[in-house]
Amino acid sequence: MVPEARPLGSQDAGPPIPRGTSRFLLLSLACIGLFFLDLLLGSVRIPLIEVPRIFLGTASDPVWSTIMTLFRLPKAVTAVATGAALAVAGLILQTLFRNPLAGPDSLGIGAGASIGAGIVVILAGGAGSTFLGELGFAGYSALALASSLGAAVVLAVILAISRRVASSVTLLIIGILVGYFAGSILSVLIFFASPQKVQVFLGWTYGSFAGVTASRLPILLGAAFLGILIVATMTKDLDALLLGDRAAASIGINTRRARTRVLIAASLLAGTVTAFCGPIAFLGIAAPQGARRLFRTSAHRRLVPGSALVGIFFALLADVMSQGAPGGVALPINPLLALLGAPVILSIVLRSRGREAGS
Amino acid sequence: MLLEAHKLSVGYPAQKGREGGVPRREILAGIDLALPSSRFVALLGPNGSGKSTLIRSLAGLQPILGGIVTLDGVNMSQLDLEDRASRMATVLTERFDSGYFSVADIVAFGRYPHTGFRNELAPKDREVVQSSLEAVGLEGFSRRMFAELSDGERQKALIALALAQETDIIILDEPTAFLDAPARSEIFHLVHDLAFAGKGIILSTHEVDLALREADEIWLIDRRAQLIRGNPDEVIASGAIGAAFDSPRLAFDAASLRFIRKNSGVSPNSP
């Protein structure tokens, strides 16, 4: 099915120009367009001409300026950071487990983060808040902290197990079991919680880019940057892991060190995002798949930026679509991402079945 | 000697756990062996005799239980992974999804011990990739998708990967396992030629007749977990092949190098 290999070792000498470059540029332009569209859309209509004026400090209406700098810009930037972080986390987990359906969720990191958040939201006594938006700063910080802690605990467990378990498949099964385990604990918590608190928690599970204020944004951006930086320094190791752990070791790759780095980077990326935005679904699985097919490459030097870009595109598109509901109500992100991501995943499954039948 | 082992014992270490865990399981013990350059060694043994365990231990892909393995006289456990990978290449049979990698991309993995952390290929690296493809008869395949190769071509490309590592030693773990008869012969002839050109090669296989015809030296693991070493003629003459492989109904025939029905017992084809 794959039309043509991207030549690497052609005898014509000199590195050939990768075929995906023009697609990369086009997708970048699309992301920039979506970013500005995302700034324009919302319950209050702000004229296009006002956007540059707002950033120059010469807006006609100070309310527009407030809306833009306090709400829409942080939300759009959050969408960008989230899209990139989850896509890269999904990419490296898919590589580590050599499974196209692996993602932050299948390692149990999202489940761990959800448990942390669930405990804060449902068990926290007397906070008096009924909706996520009304959680005080202390409550919100506790939510973020507990969610990151939950992710970190799962990471520690997976890391400890991975010292004794050689097989990546076993590790993946353990991740799925951790997910079931977390899901059942959450079910019990929800069963005993008051309806108001259940509503707060369910609101968080819908996923939202709107909960990150400008003052908390640097934490999210910093974590995303650090996680992607770790990944960017190990693209050679990641390529080799695709051959299998033993083959990678035989060409000089320290597979244990590479695996530890992948787990740390993935939990940093996925754990932080989950804390701030809720368990965002599908992005982590669909974006790397989209990048592989769009750029026709398996080399991580190109897949890392490529996946990040596709993830940013999906996240911004979902956020733009969420503004499209009638009556000025923003739709939750997760159902929209499922709407975008499920066809991608379905096509992966069908395509891999076709390949098996063809070979 | 390129590779030497003294009093080597291989197997699986004890694992801690409830109910005493899993005890240490020694599969082969007290093994001495040596691999010089320009030598094609075929490692034979029945299923479950420990061929793969021994070959993975020699390749440094699983920890040894005792003894010492040296590469160029240096204790292998003291070499870092990249240093080891620039002295010894390993060809494995494990399947992997090669995705969008071309044949040249896969062979270029052999340059890993020789490139920096960004893995930029210098013109010299591209030349080595190309000459490695030529050495296995896959010139003209570099732009093809690795996933589209036949099993035989795939195995040759993986041997080209090992050649691109530019090591003195190549270890192959059952490289003919999934191949049809002509492709099996081709791989053995190729390995024979590589040894003739100077490489020291250890190849584990179930192809007794091809191994006895093509290899310079036989390492045979028998039923008592002893490693028998010798050139093919010596090993055939000693009767060790039969002792290791014969079943109640089949016996090794030294003339044809095949396993044939024993005369005793009733054969449906006998007149």
Side-chain angles (χ1 to χ4, degrees):
Chain A
M1 289 305 120
V2 184
E4 183 186 330
R6 228 171 21 76
L8 191 153
S10 68
Q11 56 273 64
D12 316 330
I17 298 161
R19 291 175 69 233
T21 304
S22 57
R23 290 178 174 187
F24 195 88
L25 289 175
L26 273 177
L27 192 60
S28 303
L29 288 176
C31 285
I32 293 170
L34 276 175
F35 185 83
F36 283 106
L37 190 60
D38 200 29
L39 291 181
L40 285 178
L41 293 176
S43 52
V44 175
R45 194 178 161 273
I46 299 177
L48 179 61
I49 192 76
E50 289 292 331
V51 175
R53 287 189 190 163
I54 288 168
F55 293 114
L56 292 171
T58 58
S60 315
D61 187 339
V63 175
W64 290 344
S65 186
T66 307
I67 291 174
M68 189 60 75
T69 51
L70 285 188
F71 297 101
R72 291 196 189 166
L73 190 61
K75 181 166 69 80
V77 172
T78 300
V80 169
T82 300
L86 287 180
V88 171
L91 171 69
I92 59 178
L93 291 173
Q94 286 172 9
T95 296
L96 181 68
F97 294 118
R98 286 184 282 283
N99 186 327
L101 296 178
D105 298 349
S106 38
L107 194 65
I109 290 177
S114 296
I115 265 201
I119 287 172
V120 165
V121 172
I122 292 169
L123 293 189
S129 57
T130 47
F131 293 98
L132 187 62
E134 291 172 18
L135 270 180
F137 183 83
Y140 198 89
S141 304
L143 181 77
L145 189 67
S147 173
S148 298
L149 267 178
V153 167
V154 170
L155 165 75
V157 170
I158 300 264
L159 268 177
I161 294 171
S162 75
R163 291 237 171 84
R164 296 178 51 176
V165 175
S167 153
S168 291
V169 177
T170 313
L171 213 54
L172 187 61
I173 292 170
I174 290 165
I176 291 169
L177 288 177
V178 170
Y180 283 139
F181 187 74
S184 62
I185 289 182
L186 281 175
S187 299
V188 172
L189 286 176
I190 287 172
F191 184 77
F192 286 109
S194 68
Q196 289 91 339
K197 284 174 177 171
V198 169
Q199 180 140 22
V200 172
F201 179 71
L202 287 181
W204 182 79
T205 63
Y206 277 128
S208 170
F209 300 140
V212 185
T213 62
S215 59
R216 295 174 200 137
L217 200 53
I219 304 171
L220 177 64
L221 290 178
F225 178 78
L226 185 60
I228 292 174
L229 189 69
I230 294 173
V231 175
T233 58
M234 59 179 300
T235 54
K236 182 176 172 176
D237 296 18
L238 288 165
D239 282 353
L241 285 179
L242 291 175
L243 301 181
D245 289 355
R246 284 204 181 107
S250 80
I251 54 174
I253 298 298
N254 185 337
T255 52
R256 179 159 291 176
R257 192 185 66 190
R259 178 155 51 162
T260 306
R261 284 186 187 173
V262 165
L263 290 177
I264 287 172
S267 64
L268 185 64
L269 291 168
T272 315
V273 164
T274 309
F276 281 95
C277 307
I280 303 287
F282 282 103
L283 251 180
I285 295 177
Q289 288 299 336
R292 275 187 207 100
R293 300 179 66 176
L294 195 60
F295 304 120
R296 302 209 171 280
T297 180
S298 294
H300 286 79
R301 237 168 69 197
R302 303 187 59 76
L303 274 183
V304 172
S307 301
L309 199 57
V310 174
I312 290 168
F313 179 80
F314 273 137
L316 284 172
L317 188 62
D319 202 38
V320 165
M321 284 168 68
S322 80
Q323 311 294 334
V329 181
L331 290 172
I333 294 292
N334 263 341
L336 288 169
L337 278 173
L339 219 57
L340 293 171
V344 175
I345 291 169
L346 189 63
S347 75
I348 299 162
V349 174
L350 291 176
R351 188 163 159 270
S352 62
R353 280 173 61 91
R355 188 191 282 172
E356 275 164 29
S359 64
Chain B
M1 286 296 153
L2 295 177
L3 180 146
E4 271 180 286
H6 297 292
K7 295 191 166 55
L8 174 66
S9 74
V10 302
Y12 300 90
Q15 285 184 347
K16 280 182 218 156
R18 277 164 191 256
E19 295 155 25
V22 182
R24 167 184 152 115
R25 198 155 62 91
E26 203 172 60
I27 293 178
L28 300 168
I31 290 177
D32 291 306
L33 46 81
L35 176 73
S37 57
S38 299
R39 179 77 55 94
F40 172 9
V41 173
L43 176 61
L44 296 172
N47 273 332
S49 60
K51 281 199 306 292
S52 285
T53 308
L54 175 59
I55 215 153
R56 284 203 291 264
S57 301
L58 291 176
L61 299 177
Q62 87 177 52
I64 59 176
L65 296 184
I68 182 174
V69 179
T70 59
L71 291 183
D72 304 318
V74 184
N75 188 342
M76 189 163 73
S77 62
Q78 283 161 6
L79 291 172
D80 72 42
L81 288 170
E82 279 204 359
D83 196 351
R84 193 181 76 199
S86 60
R87 295 166 193 254
M88 174 169 66
T90 309
V91 180
L92 300 162
T93 354
E94 286 157 24
R95 292 283 180 146
F96 59 92
D97 180 2
S98 58
Y100 288 98
F101 284 130
S102 69
V103 174
D105 290 335
I106 292 292
V107 176
F109 276 110
R111 299 309 295 162
Y112 259 46
H114 308 281
T115 56
F117 92 105
R118 276 180 57 89
N119 201 30
E120 301 272 15
L121 292 186
K124 194 246 176 188
D125 296 312
R126 291 172 196 281
E127 279 166 29
V128 173
V129 167
Q130 204 53 41
S131 61
S132 303
L133 280 167
E134 282 163 19
V136 300
L138 288 184
E139 59 270 23
F141 277 67
S142 62
R143 286 164 188 250
R144 292 263 297 271
M145 296 297 292
F146 184 80
E148 290 170 356
L149 297 185
S150 71
D151 286 339
E153 289 162 351
R154 176 185 283 254
Q155 204 54 252
K156 284 191 212 164
L158 292 178
I159 293 173
L161 189 166
L163 290 176
Q165 272 176 259
E166 294 188 304
T167 59
D168 294 332
I169 307 165
I170 299 181
I171 293 182
L172 303 97
D173 189 13
E174 297 194 24
T176 57
F178 300 114
L179 306 187
D180 57 21
R184 286 201 294 264
S185 296
E186 246 187 296
I187 296 292
F188 270 87
H189 292 154
L190 173 60
V191 169
H192 180 96
D193 292 347
L194 292 176
F196 190 75
K199 304 270 186 191
I201 297 178
I202 305 171
L203 175 150
S204 75
T205 182
H206 285 289
E207 309 296 331
V208 175
D209 54 333
L210 279 171
L212 292 172
R213 282 198 188 95
E214 299 291 338
D216 304 313
E217 184 176 340
I218 299 294
W219 295 351
L220 174 70
I221 304 173
D222 72 6
R223 289 199 168 114
R224 291 163 297 130
Q226 299 299 308
L227 186 75
I228 295 158
R229 296 162 56 197
N231 69 45
D233 292 335
E234 289 165 6
V235 172
I236 293 168
S238 72
I241 303 269
F245 287 100
D246 281 1
S247 73
R249 307 203 47 153
L250 291 177
F252 180 72
D253 175 49
S256 66
L257 303 183
R258 287 175 185 286
F259 291 91
I260 56 173
R261 273 205 185 92
K262 285 182 179 170
N263 290 332
S264 58
V266 183
S267 163
N269 291 339
S270 57

